[in-house]
Amino acid sequence: MTPEEREELLAGHALGTLSAPDAEDAERLIRSDPRAAEQFRTFREIADLIALSVPLRRADPALRQRVLAAARQSRSWRPRFSQRQAPVYALAAALAIVTIWAASLQTSLARLRQDTASLSAVVESDAKRLDRLSGAASGVQEARSLSLQLQSAVQDEQIIQSVQNDPRVVVTELESTLSSHGARGRYMSGETGASILVLQGLPTLPLGGAYRVWLEDPLSQLTLAASFLPDSNLGARVALKRDTRLEPSRVYVVATSRADDPAATGPVVLMATLPKRATAP
């Protein structure tokens, strides 16, 4: 067997194109000749690379039989070009396919990197957009809270002005207690039923504390009318909210140590028994 026939036999066996007798000859050659075994492994690696570069589909089983039958009808099973050229052409074709496969793989990897970079940019942009939306939502909520506080402060100031400017306002001086420490104040009730407290010299509260105003009706039911903090001069003007269906009979100004606890209580600083307003004839 010439070297050209030897290489052609091993290449055909690596590609799986040999007939059964020729495949047996190739196997005996591989087992008996280490150099032939090394050449076969090389041809097999090339064949595997070629398999990776083609679509994954199964050929018609009858195709191989037709090819082998046509080959046997010729003078031999070898291709029509010369035996010297056959291994060269086979290897050149295999290398060309491997080169095309490598270029295709490189292009696919470059496209994958580009797609990954684009996806990362989109994810980062969406994350920043979500952060902006979250910040905007928080800002809107804070703005709404401030707006409500401002509206409440404006309404309280309107009540205070209306009571103080009412020509028929009824003024009741508040009584001191053991916890007053020099505090004083007035309860003022306007013609329309609105009422306010004007307070001075209130005792200093502990950190986190607040003052609360309770109104007691003739049925001895207490209603929380206001919760407030004194100003820097320890004074306050407080608009009172109450159930207008019952005229209050008593008022209490209470100091509490926990402004955040609705059930917290403390000493009464100022109090008064309120007169009944005269009804119009």
Side-chain angles (χ1 to χ4, degrees):
M1 181 183 298
T2 64
E4 290 81 3
E5 292 175 338
R6 171 194 179 98
E7 292 181 359
E8 188 176 355
L9 180 66
L10 294 173
H13 188 44
L15 293 172
T17 59
L18 297 181
S19 63
D22 292 332
E24 293 176 359
D25 292 341
E27 287 292 337
R28 283 194 295 270
L29 178 61
I30 292 170
R31 287 193 297 268
S32 62
D33 189 342
R35 178 176 173 78
E38 180 65 25
Q39 286 180 317
F40 174 74
R41 283 194 294 271
T42 301
F43 287 138
R44 190 62 191 171
E45 290 176 359
I46 295 175
D48 291 340
L49 289 175
I50 294 173
L52 288 174
S53 66
V54 298
L56 297 178
R57 59 184 181 185
R58 186 181 300 276
D60 185 356
L63 176 60
R64 183 173 183 275
Q65 299 298 329
R66 291 198 298 269
V67 172
L68 292 178
R72 292 192 182 97
Q73 290 176 1
S74 62
R75 204 168 100 186
S76 70
W77 60 272
R78 298 175 179 84
R80 292 184 179 179
F81 43 77
S82 68
Q83 293 179 350
R84 184 179 299 275
Q85 292 174 329
V88 176
Y89 287 156
L91 289 174
L95 290 175
I97 293 176
V98 171
T99 301
I100 295 173
W101 170 77
S104 175
L105 179 60
Q106 185 175 7
T107 302
S108 299
L109 290 175
R111 186 179 299 112
L112 179 60
R113 293 192 190 98
Q114 183 178 2
D115 293 343
T116 302
S118 300
L119 180 59
S120 299
V122 170
V123 171
E124 183 178 0
S125 176
D126 287 345
K128 291 180 178 179
R129 187 179 298 109
L130 288 176
D131 289 341
R132 289 195 298 269
L133 289 176
S134 178
S138 177
V140 169
Q141 186 65 27
E142 183 177 358
R144 288 177 177 173
S145 178
L146 291 175
S147 177
L148 292 175
Q149 293 179 23
L150 179 59
Q151 291 177 9
S152 179
V154 170
Q155 292 174 358
D156 289 349
E157 185 61 29
Q158 289 175 346
I159 293 174
I160 292 170
Q161 293 297 329
S162 67
V163 172
Q164 288 183 329
N165 296 327
D166 189 343
R168 301 187 61 182
V169 64
V170 176
V171 179
T172 304
E173 296 293 332
L174 300 180
E175 302 172 11
S176 299
T177 68
L178 294 177
S179 301
S180 295
H181 301 291
R184 60 188 182 276
R186 299 188 304 273
Y187 175 89
M188 304 174 66
S189 179
E191 181 69 21
T192 60
S195 58
I196 65 172
L197 284 175
V198 179
L199 307 171
Q200 297 174 340
L202 293 168
T204 303
L205 291 167
L207 184 63
Y211 281 102
R212 289 175 180 162
V213 181
W214 294 90
L215 294 177
E216 183 180 1
D217 62 27
L219 302 178
S220 299
Q221 297 293 325
L222 290 173
T223 301
L224 180 61
S227 180
F228 69 93
L229 293 174
D231 57 29
S232 59
N233 296 321
L234 298 179
R237 295 189 306 168
V238 186
L240 304 182
K241 301 176 178 61
R242 61 183 179 85
D243 188 349
T244 58
R245 292 175 297 181
L246 292 176
E247 188 75 16
S249 60
R250 295 184 66 83
V251 59
Y252 304 92
V253 179
V254 179
T256 62
S257 59
R258 292 287 304 276
D260 57 348
D261 184 1
T265 185
V268 176
V269 176
L270 295 168
M271 58 180 294
T273 299
L274 304 177
K276 290 185 178 180
R277 291 188 61 92
T279 58

